[in-house]
Structure formats: C-alpha cells, structure tokens
Amino acid sequence: QVQLVESGGGLVQTGGSLRLSCEASGRTFSSNRMAWFRQAPGKEREFVAACSRSGGITYYADSVKGRFTISRDNAKNTVYLQMNSLKPEDTAVYYCAAQGEYWSGSYYDAWNYAYWGQGTQVTVSS
C-alpha cells in the first residue's frame, strides 16, 4: 500500500553535508512511522534514525546523533534525512522504511517496518 522512493544520495567529501529525501505514495502516509536504515559493504543493516507519525518525536543511533536530523512533511508525503559532518564511516546504502500493519513499539527494530525503498548510495570520501 505504501511505496517509497529515496533520492539525494551521492558522493561528498568528509565534513560535508547531504540531504536525503524519501517520497511516499499511498493513502495513509501520515499514519506511518518512518525510519532510515543503512547498510555498508560487508556490514549488517543498521538503524540510523526514525520519527513518529507527526515527526515531533525523533530517534537516532548513537553513531549519528548530533550530526543527522530526520524530519517529515506529511503535506508533501516526504521524509528527509539531513546529514552533516559526514564521515567515511557513513558510507552506505541508505534505505527509507515505513511501518506496516503491526507495530511493537520500538522504532529501532527493522522488523517493525513493512515498506522499504530501493535505497540510495551515499559515499563519503576522505
């Protein structure tokens, strides 16, 4: 029911900034809790950030706290991930995710998200 398309990835230098966008299509975007995950080469999928349905409550992985900001504009059916002070360790494919029918209450658990985008590559050069 929910389709997600990420954009905004690319190549940036260390210390630079990048903003990812995730455009959602579907009837109930405003009712979906949203998150960003990432997967680096040879690594497991990692939680990055998440937000409540209104965007008023946010959650961040310790590794990105203070550098990344998640936000959403329900009127535009879009979720953003503003990434500042980028490091080579941030290099990964970034995925947008939306909750499905079931919700455990944990924003950090990937299993809570039923809808996923195809991902957008972020590469941070040293």
Side-chain angles (χ1 to χ4, degrees):
Q1 187 175 13
V2 178
Q3 296 171 305
L4 308 173
V5 179
E6 303 98 332
S7 62
L11 174 64
V12 297
Q13 63 183 14
T14 297
S17 298
L18 199 63
R19 188 179 75 164
L20 305 183
S21 298
C22 174
E23 185 177 6
S25 61
R27 301 178 183 177
T28 58
F29 174 76
S30 62
S31 69
N32 295 102
R33 298 171 178 86
M34 303 292 294
W36 289 93
F37 288 78
R38 67 187 182 186
Q39 187 166 20
K43 302 294 184 180
E44 298 290 330
R45 182 174 52 185
E46 176 188 24
F47 170 81
V48 177
C51 65
S52 62
R53 288 173 288 182
S54 68
I57 305 173
T58 57
Y59 305 84
Y60 298 95
D62 289 341
S63 59
V64 306
K65 191 173 299 182
R67 299 189 297 118
F68 290 11
T69 302
I70 186 172
S71 62
R72 67 190 296 165
D73 187 338
N74 288 343
K76 297 181 178 180
N77 298 319
T78 302
V79 176
Y80 305 96
L81 184 67
Q82 178 66 46
M83 304 183 294
N84 298 326
S85 301
L86 283 163
K87 307 174 181 178
E89 306 92 272
D90 296 317
T91 295
V93 177
Y94 284 71
Y95 298 93
C96 179
Q99 73 163 102
E101 181 179 356
Y102 304 103
W103 183 252
S104 72
S106 175
Y107 282 88
Y108 305 93
D109 190 346
W111 295 110
N112 279 304
Y113 302 95
Y115 305 99
W116 296 82
Q118 294 300 306
T120 184
Q121 177 70 47
V122 172
T123 302
V124 184
S125 64
S126 59

